[in-house]
Amino acid sequence: MIDDLKNTSDRWDMIPDMAISGGEPLKRKDLFEILDYAAKRSVNIRLLTNGTLITPEVARNLKAHKVKRVQISIDGKRDLHNEIRGMPFAYDKAIEGVSNSSHAGVPVNVAMTLMQSNKGDFENVIRAAIRFGADRVGFKSYVPDSELGDGDPNYMGPRDFCDMVSKTMALKVKYSGQIQILTSDVLFRIIEKENSMIGRAKAEGKFLCGCSAGYRALSVLSDGTVYPCRRLPIEVGHISQGIKSIILENAVMKNLRDMEQMKKNASCDDVVHCRGCRAVAYAVTGDYMHKDPMCFKDLLGREDE
């Protein structure tokens, strides 16, 4: 798979990047062999971890084995994080993982899954990230339980998410120079000002940025099953078919690149640099091509009036 990723990336003039997630990747006994092989093939490696197993020695090993960055999940203050994780030690161990990684010279991104239950804790997470040495912090929207849809108690609707976007932009100013607060969730693109690149993408109907499903990412499960995104549980093939074949030939992947259909579904031409979250759309509506139900663009329009 690493060879395929490297060869495909070279053929398409892209930089190969692989994130190893889980479960918990640090429980894999052959992890460091995988890291070494990826480094040998010049594939950038990130580790997505709960941080609880990153001792000082493990952190030094990650640095020695050329891990470019670790992403450690912190989902709120101590009690809330522990409740979400179901472990009384989860928060303290995760914070130790942030500190140990930072001291070993491995850049750390603290990541929060934004839900109704923890939406008031983001600034606390930012402060903890700064205190223990992370250089980046951000959140991704929660994908609701598909059985519950928008009835999931942790689902963030458009108004709540719009409020969080506004608060986050203020926090970026407040903590400027102390840490980089990421605005990588796709719906942040809604407030991005029009520029020449966006204008050109709209005119040509071409993907610029936003949700990468269908374009520049795949998620591979432990049994080789491939999803378009690790949050979008639709099978698009098996990794043995080859990355190029899956991306170019699978019907779901082709649909995800149908910008005109997505534009019609959402009644919005911002899809070229946003596209909403396909995983949230699928979880709430059962249709991965549906308009993202968390989209707050209409709210901005009413406020402008």
Side-chain angles (χ1 to χ4, degrees):
M1 184 174 69
I2 291 172
D3 287 341
D4 189 7
L5 174 60
K6 172 62 175 172
N7 295 337
T8 304
S9 298
D10 286 349
R11 185 162 55 243
W12 290 346
D13 194 26
M14 300 175 78
I15 298 171
D17 184 274
M18 185 164 76
I20 302 179
S21 182
E24 176 47 54
L26 285 166
K27 296 191 75 172
R28 256 194 99 97
K29 294 180 180 178
D30 61 350
L31 176 64
F32 291 105
E33 296 174 38
I34 296 170
L35 297 179
D36 284 342
Y37 193 79
K40 178 183 175 183
R41 294 305 319 268
S42 300
V43 172
N44 293 333
I45 290 288
R46 293 174 293 119
L47 217 60
L48 279 57
T49 168
N50 63 29
T52 61
L53 300 179
I54 305 181
T55 62
E57 181 182 3
V58 168
R60 290 191 292 270
N61 279 335
L62 294 178
K63 178 67 175 178
H65 289 269
K66 300 182 180 179
V67 170
K68 297 293 183 183
R69 176 172 291 278
V70 295
Q71 177 174 299
I72 297 176
S73 301
I74 304 289
D75 287 322
K77 290 182 288 190
R78 178 182 282 103
D79 290 347
L80 181 55
H81 179 84
N82 289 344
E83 180 184 341
I84 291 171
R85 297 284 160 172
M87 301 177 186
F89 57 82
Y91 182 86
D92 291 335
K93 287 290 186 181
I95 288 296
E96 285 180 25
V98 173
S99 180
N100 291 336
S101 300
S102 176
H103 280 110
V106 181
V108 181
N109 173 32
V110 167
M112 175 177 169
T113 299
L114 185 70
M115 303 177 279
Q116 286 289 354
S117 58
N118 67 2
K119 65 183 181 183
D121 271 9
F122 186 45
E123 186 166 10
N124 292 310
V125 172
I126 294 171
R127 289 172 178 166
I130 293 170
R131 180 181 176 189
F132 292 98
D135 66 325
R136 295 179 183 175
V137 60
F139 62 76
K140 286 287 188 180
S141 55
Y142 170 73
V143 178
D145 185 320
S146 59
E147 294 293 321
L148 300 174
D150 58 9
D152 187 320
N154 267 315
Y155 170 68
M156 295 279 290
R159 168 54 65 188
D160 290 324
F161 198 81
C162 183
D163 289 344
M164 276 304 303
V165 167
S166 178
K167 291 174 183 176
T168 301
M169 300 312 290
L171 291 170
K172 279 177 69 71
V173 175
K174 182 176 180 178
Y175 293 100
S176 176
Q178 298 180 63
I179 195 168
Q180 181 184 1
I181 297 178
L182 302 174
T183 53
S184 52
D185 193 286
V186 294
L187 291 181
F188 274 96
R189 305 285 78 76
I190 294 174
I191 61 171
E192 189 173 357
K193 292 183 179 179
E194 192 88 11
N195 57 47
S196 59
M197 289 188 69
I198 292 175
R200 180 180 171 186
K202 287 182 177 181
E204 298 179 8
K206 292 182 178 179
F207 172 74
L208 178 61
C209 60
C211 174
S212 61
Y215 282 95
R216 52 188 173 89
L218 291 173
S219 180
V220 185
L221 278 62
S222 59
D223 65 357
T225 299
V226 179
Y227 291 167
C229 159
R230 66 191 181 95
R231 310 200 307 165
L232 181 58
I234 300 175
E235 186 173 339
V236 295
H238 190 277
I239 194 59
S240 61
Q241 296 171 238
I243 293 171
K244 177 184 176 183
S245 173
I246 293 170
I247 290 178
L248 296 185
E249 298 173 14
N250 179 268
V252 172
M253 297 293 283
K254 288 181 180 179
N255 287 341
L256 286 166
R257 294 193 295 273
D258 189 341
M259 205 73 75
E260 286 304 313
Q261 186 59 50
M262 201 167 289
K263 201 183 297 183
K264 291 177 184 175
N265 292 352
S267 301
C268 175
D269 65 352
D270 283 345
V271 293
V272 298
H273 68 111
C274 173
R275 302 203 318 141
C277 176
R278 299 298 92 217
V280 173
Y282 183 67
V284 173
T285 72
D287 179 3
Y288 60 86
M289 293 291 286
H290 197 278
K291 176 182 177 179
D292 185 340
M294 289 176 59
C295 176
F296 56 87
K297 186 174 180 179
D298 290 346
L299 297 177
L300 297 179
R302 284 197 294 271
E303 287 169 2
D304 290 342
E305 291 171 6

